[in-house]
Amino acid sequence: MRNKQSRIKDIAKKAGVSTGTVDRVIHNRGEVSPSTRKKILAIINELDYQPNLLASTLASQKLHHFAVLIPAGSNHNPYWEAPLKGVIKAGEELKAYGVRLDIQTFSQNDINDFRQKGEVLLKNKPDGLLLAPVFFSESKKFLIKCQQHDLPLTFIDTQLDYKRSIRFIGQNSCQSGHVAARLLGMGNPKDASYLVFNITSEKDQLYHFTERYKGFKDYFLLRNLPVNISVHDIHTQGIEELVSILKIALNKNELIAGIFVTGSKVYRIARALKQLGIQNIRLLGFDLVPQNMELLEEEMIDFLISQQPEEQGYQGIQTLYSVIVQKQTVDPVKYSAIDIITRENISHYLNCS
Amino acid sequence: MRNKQSRIKDIAKKAGVSTGTVDRVIHNRGEVSPSTRKKILAIINELDYQPNLLASTLASQKLHHFAVLIPAGSNHNPYWEAPLKGVIKAGEELKAYGVRLDIQTFSQNDINDFRQKGEVLLKNKPDGLLLAPVFFSESKKFLIKCQQHDLPLTFIDTQLDYKRSIRFIGQNSCQSGHVAARLLGMGNPKDASYLVFNITSEKDQLYHFTERYKGFKDYFLLRNLPVNISVHDIHTQGIEELVSILKIALNKNELIAGIFVTGSKVYRIARALKQLGIQNIRLLGFDLVPQNMELLEEEMIDFLISQQPEEQGYQGIQTLYSVIVQKQTVDPVKYSAIDIITRENISHYLNCS
DNA sequence: TAAAGTGCCGTGTGCGCACACGAAGTTCAC
DNA sequence: GTGAACTTCGTGTGCGCACACGGCACTTTA
């Protein structure tokens, strides 16, 4: 048990060759006769040789260049600050391993910005890319260029078809809709009524919105619950439209048991409800952005569903490293946890360090 | 931006001394005149020198010895398999950094086993210890011996008073009781009735049970909800006692809105309910052990609250390393997230790799 | 004044590995 | 049978750091 890790030198001695030859075998650099190669491989296997990563990265002064292309966080939608934080954390950790990040964030409202930043990144010939392809068709075009560079990449948040895709890291949106349905539906009559709001200003997110709604609806369908769901798509910024829709819905005979907001703008519904003086309708939305956290604290929002965005950014970079540098293999899809946040457990989801 | 990390050699050249002198300053090994020392420190500051961890650990062939003393997982209570898994994972990662783990698990029913394993560990003079002090008074005695060795340690699961305590990693049990109350109480009438079960076979866990119950009760108190809570302490193994208690409770006039099990044995209540053919009572308990997961799947259990046990083990070891070896400082308490698990999101909490 | 002691510092070696360079041995053409 | 080309392998150096050793200048002691 106490025998130290075996080194290249040990293998060499045992095989009766020099360390250089062993090294050539390990790195498949040829110039080794088949017989000695076979002998050395056998010994490597026998000793269960694990290369010393420290010494290895220290000696090979290689630099690895990873590009990051994700939306910028804004006051209006600070969500993307979290993945960025994770990316930076991973970057710090991997700095000693010769990893250099080239991070570009683009405005969520500006397709041209996305295109420009993308081109800047590709110019530097990165060894890998972390991409959040929130603009669907523009991302498609961008991926064609990536293909030309034979650039391996990981997706976060949204997944697109790409030949050299290493991994998708993000939420199973349909399943998070299921969770939402359970939390909103719990304890309510079988034929309760629910409101669903898709509140969007940017073009992106549409995919997640529809998938979440699908999951929500299917939950009740699968259980044969004859619920009443009315969906509202909101594109305006003000609160007036929301207030009037809520007013109309509440004036109907049926009881509204819960409100499902398919994205992070749930705080706007909460404010509208506040304005109307309504407290007793269960409200659920997504993402731990400050506005939501505040209203969760006030109990105007009952549940938030989060997807560990910081972890996604972190894993995105770590995955690039372990696959591109360490040549490991990973599952092509990694779904993030669907965290259920209430006023009572929110504190544990804040400093994820 | 493209300047490489500065090295000891750079500092030496800039200060007009040799690398040996710089090294002596960095490691406070004396034998340096105050004036050159000051000069070197200034340059280190100016260049924002960060030692290359790879080279550093590679050169100093130090071995660090960490001991681990936690309960063994059993068929009866497999919970502790999870922290162990985390411990082992951290051990693998730190192997290259010269960390060696000495892991001892003890039977949860056998105080003597705990004592013996503890003595074995101390004999090897570890540099640090990860301890789960589930036996209260015996752990106290053990800590006195640790004190004599001036042994730094991290606690997981339960915290005790100890001078050289580095960190406690575990759940805020009171707060998890709050979460339980919200999930069980949601949508129920103000004066609903709840059953609470403390199911214990071992002596441990008592602390968590009472804290969780306290949090549960306080939730309703704080909101002035005149709920009706009846508590049952269970020490038997069979299902009969549970069935009869449930029968009696259900025959009363009041409606039972939810059942709160303060520990991981919630599956036993679920089985009793199943036997009685009762479906519509909300049931909540703790920990992702296989029995519970199965019944969550069947929707006999509505919620499980988990505390990231694998992460706790992992963090416990990582903390030892960063504090003892890397001389970093950490908060004395690190509460784990209070995960809310339902049938719909359980899959994301299984393979935490 | 020589010997012994002290403060301060430079040099050299090695950690395990990557990789360049060059030295043997072998094959082949003429 | 001689040189060229190729195959196969060993040696040496350096990555950034830790640490042992020894050396120089100066002071103290007899």
Side-chain angles (χ1 to χ4, degrees):
Chain A
M1 290 294 289
R2 192 148 297 277
N3 49 357
K4 299 195 293 185
Q5 287 288 74
S6 52
R7 304 153 300 171
I8 280 189
K9 206 194 288 182
D10 302 320
I11 298 170
K13 195 193 291 180
K14 197 154 186 177
V17 297
S18 76
T19 60
T21 306
V22 176
D23 181 74
R24 273 182 285 267
V25 171
I26 289 174
H27 294 86
N28 275 316
R29 289 204 258 105
E31 310 198 5
V32 180
S33 76
S35 62
T36 56
R37 180 184 150 80
K38 204 170 162 189
K39 198 201 299 177
I40 289 172
L41 283 177
I43 294 174
I44 285 177
N45 224 311
E46 179 194 345
L47 295 184
D48 188 30
Y49 169 73
Q50 301 284 101
N52 184 323
L53 260 186
L54 301 188
S56 175
T57 55
L58 181 63
S60 85
Q61 293 282 85
K62 266 191 210 133
L63 279 189
H64 302 280
H65 218 96
F66 296 152
V68 177
L69 186 55
I70 57 176
S74 63
N75 286 339
H76 186 59
N77 182 357
Y79 171 81
W80 283 98
E81 288 169 11
L84 178 61
K85 210 171 143 193
V87 165
I88 290 174
K89 187 182 164 199
E92 289 295 321
E93 285 184 24
L94 294 175
K95 208 162 81 176
Y97 291 83
V99 170
R100 297 292 174 269
L101 296 186
D102 190 355
I103 303 175
Q104 297 282 350
T105 61
F106 56 88
S107 163
Q108 293 178 61
N109 310 308
D110 188 351
I111 286 202
N112 283 325
D113 194 28
F114 170 76
R115 182 176 5 211
Q116 282 172 17
K117 300 287 172 62
E119 278 174 15
V120 169
L121 285 179
L122 289 185
K123 246 176 220 156
N124 287 334
K125 306 254 178 211
D127 305 304
L129 170 66
L130 175 65
L131 177 67
V134 294
F135 296 126
F136 180 74
S137 42
E138 193 61 33
S139 297
K140 282 263 177 193
K141 293 185 205 160
F142 179 65
L143 285 177
I144 292 175
K145 288 186 200 159
C146 294
Q147 196 74 267
Q148 288 165 2
H149 290 79
D150 200 38
L151 183 64
L153 63 82
T154 55
F155 292 102
I156 63 171
D157 194 75
T158 307
Q159 186 173 22
L160 292 183
D161 205 38
Y162 182 64
K163 194 179 165 196
R164 299 231 37 200
S165 169
I166 294 175
R167 187 173 227 188
F168 163 68
I169 299 167
Q171 188 175 61
N172 185 329
S173 292
C174 179
Q175 209 159 358
S176 69
H178 273 89
V179 173
R182 157 170 290 257
L183 291 173
L184 283 185
M186 192 172 40
N188 289 329
K190 290 190 175 199
D191 56 350
S193 293
Y194 298 92
L195 297 181
V196 174
F197 285 92
N198 298 311
I199 307 179
T200 173
S201 45
E202 296 90 25
K203 287 272 178 285
D204 62 62
Q205 297 288 354
L206 220 62
Y207 170 77
H208 289 303
F209 286 8
T210 54
E211 282 294 302
R212 285 166 180 166
Y213 172 62
K214 207 174 102 191
F216 184 78
K217 208 178 46 184
D218 285 357
Y219 177 88
F220 297 110
L221 267 180
L222 281 170
R223 282 144 214 270
N224 287 319
L225 298 173
V227 295
N228 194 341
I229 301 177
S230 51
V231 183
H232 300 271
D233 292 316
I234 309 293
H235 303 288
T236 56
Q237 292 277 356
I239 202 171
E240 300 78 19
E241 186 184 1
L242 301 178
V243 170
S244 71
I245 291 178
L246 287 171
K247 257 189 195 162
I248 295 171
L250 292 167
N251 280 339
K252 286 189 188 170
N253 279 345
E254 60 204 19
L255 189 80
I256 304 292
I259 300 176
F260 177 40
V261 183
T262 55
S264 61
K265 299 288 193 297
V266 53
Y267 60 88
R268 290 180 53 199
I269 300 290
R271 286 176 188 161
L273 288 173
K274 211 171 166 182
Q275 184 169 318
L276 288 168
I278 296 168
Q279 283 264 12
N280 57 342
I281 297 183
R282 222 178 279 171
L283 179 58
L284 181 149
F286 286 82
D287 299 337
L288 284 182
V289 297
Q291 298 96 324
N292 287 346
M293 283 157 56
E294 200 174 300
L295 286 151
L296 191 74
E297 178 66 27
E298 293 178 31
E299 303 199 34
M300 289 302 304
I301 295 174
D302 292 276
F303 293 103
L304 289 173
I305 292 179
S306 180
Q307 53 174 319
Q308 311 193 323
E310 183 177 335
E311 179 75 10
Q312 287 181 19
Y314 180 82
Q315 288 293 338
I317 298 297
Q318 289 285 356
T319 301
L320 284 178
Y321 180 74
S322 61
V323 171
I324 295 176
V325 182
Q326 300 195 48
K327 314 288 182 198
Q328 295 182 14
T329 54
V330 295
D331 290 339
V333 172
K334 163 86 170 177
Y335 286 125
S336 305
I338 297 175
D339 288 332
I340 301 169
I341 322 280
T342 72
R343 182 172 182 266
E344 286 75 26
N345 72 345
I346 187 174
S347 61
H348 304 287
Y349 291 91
L350 297 186
N351 342 345
C352 299
S353 64
Chain B
M1 289 301 288
R2 190 149 296 281
N3 50 357
K4 297 195 294 186
Q5 287 289 75
S6 51
R7 303 153 299 172
I8 279 189
K9 208 194 286 182
D10 303 320
I11 299 170
K13 196 192 291 178
K14 197 155 187 178
V17 296
S18 76
T19 61
T21 306
V22 176
D23 181 74
R24 273 183 285 265
V25 170
I26 289 174
H27 293 86
N28 274 316
R29 289 204 259 106
E31 310 198 6
V32 181
S33 76
S35 63
T36 55
R37 181 184 151 79
K38 204 170 160 188
K39 195 200 303 177
I40 290 172
L41 284 177
I43 294 175
I44 286 177
N45 224 310
E46 179 194 346
L47 295 182
D48 189 29
Y49 169 73
Q50 301 284 103
N52 184 323
L53 260 185
L54 301 187
S56 174
T57 57
L58 181 63
S60 85
Q61 294 281 86
K62 268 192 209 131
L63 279 188
H64 302 280
H65 218 95
F66 296 151
V68 177
L69 187 55
I70 58 177
S74 64
N75 285 339
H76 186 58
N77 183 356
Y79 171 81
W80 282 98
E81 287 169 11
L84 178 61
K85 209 171 144 193
V87 164
I88 289 173
K89 186 182 166 201
E92 289 295 322
E93 285 185 23
L94 293 175
K95 208 162 81 177
Y97 292 83
V99 170
R100 297 292 174 269
L101 296 186
D102 189 355
I103 302 175
Q104 297 282 351
T105 60
F106 56 89
S107 163
Q108 294 178 60
N109 310 307
D110 188 351
I111 287 204
N112 284 324
D113 193 28
F114 170 75
R115 183 176 4 214
Q116 283 172 18
K117 298 285 172 61
E119 278 174 16
V120 169
L121 285 179
L122 289 186
K123 246 176 219 155
N124 287 335
K125 307 252 177 212
D127 305 303
L129 171 66
L130 175 66
L131 178 67
V134 294
F135 296 125
F136 181 75
S137 43
E138 194 61 31
S139 296
K140 284 261 177 194
K141 292 185 206 163
F142 179 65
L143 285 178
I144 293 175
K145 287 187 199 157
C146 293
Q147 196 73 267
Q148 289 165 2
H149 290 79
D150 201 38
L151 183 63
L153 64 80
T154 55
F155 292 101
I156 62 171
D157 194 74
T158 308
Q159 186 174 22
L160 292 183
D161 205 37
Y162 182 63
K163 194 180 164 194
R164 297 231 39 198
S165 168
I166 294 175
R167 187 173 227 187
F168 163 67
I169 299 168
Q171 189 175 62
N172 185 330
S173 292
C174 179
Q175 208 160 359
S176 69
H178 273 90
V179 173
R182 157 170 290 256
L183 292 172
L184 283 186
M186 193 172 39
N188 290 328
K190 290 191 176 199
D191 57 347
S193 292
Y194 299 93
L195 298 181
V196 175
F197 285 91
N198 298 310
I199 307 179
T200 174
S201 45
E202 296 93 24
K203 287 271 179 283
D204 62 63
Q205 298 288 354
L206 220 61
Y207 169 78
H208 290 302
F209 286 8
T210 55
E211 283 294 301
R212 284 166 180 167
Y213 172 61
K214 209 175 98 190
F216 184 77
K217 209 178 46 184
D218 285 357
Y219 177 87
F220 297 109
L221 266 180
L222 281 170
R223 282 146 212 268
N224 287 319
L225 298 172
V227 296
N228 194 342
I229 301 177
S230 51
V231 183
H232 301 271
D233 293 314
I234 309 293
H235 304 288
T236 58
Q237 293 276 356
I239 203 170
E240 300 78 17
E241 186 184 2
L242 301 177
V243 170
S244 71
I245 290 178
L246 287 170
K247 258 188 194 162
I248 293 171
L250 292 168
N251 282 338
K252 285 191 190 170
N253 279 346
E254 60 206 21
L255 188 81
I256 304 291
I259 301 177
F260 177 40
V261 183
T262 54
S264 62
K265 300 287 193 297
V266 54
Y267 60 88
R268 290 180 53 200
I269 299 289
R271 285 175 189 161
L273 287 171
K274 208 171 171 181
Q275 185 170 319
L276 288 168
I278 297 169
Q279 284 263 14
N280 57 342
I281 298 184
R282 224 178 278 170
L283 178 58
L284 181 150
F286 286 82
D287 298 335
L288 284 180
V289 297
Q291 298 97 324
N292 287 345
M293 284 157 54
E294 199 175 301
L295 287 151
L296 190 74
E297 178 66 29
E298 293 178 31
E299 303 199 36
M300 290 303 302
I301 296 175
D302 292 277
F303 293 104
L304 288 174
I305 292 179
S306 180
Q307 53 174 320
Q308 311 195 321
E310 184 176 336
E311 179 75 9
Q312 287 181 19
Y314 180 80
Q315 288 293 339
I317 297 298
Q318 289 285 356
T319 301
L320 284 178
Y321 181 74
S322 60
V323 172
I324 295 176
V325 182
Q326 301 196 48
K327 314 288 180 197
Q328 296 182 12
T329 54
V330 295
D331 289 339
V333 172
K334 164 86 171 176
Y335 286 125
S336 305
I338 297 176
D339 288 333
I340 302 170
I341 322 280
T342 73
R343 182 173 183 265
E344 286 75 25
N345 72 346
I346 186 172
S347 61
H348 304 288
Y349 291 91
L350 297 185
N351 342 344
C352 301
S353 63

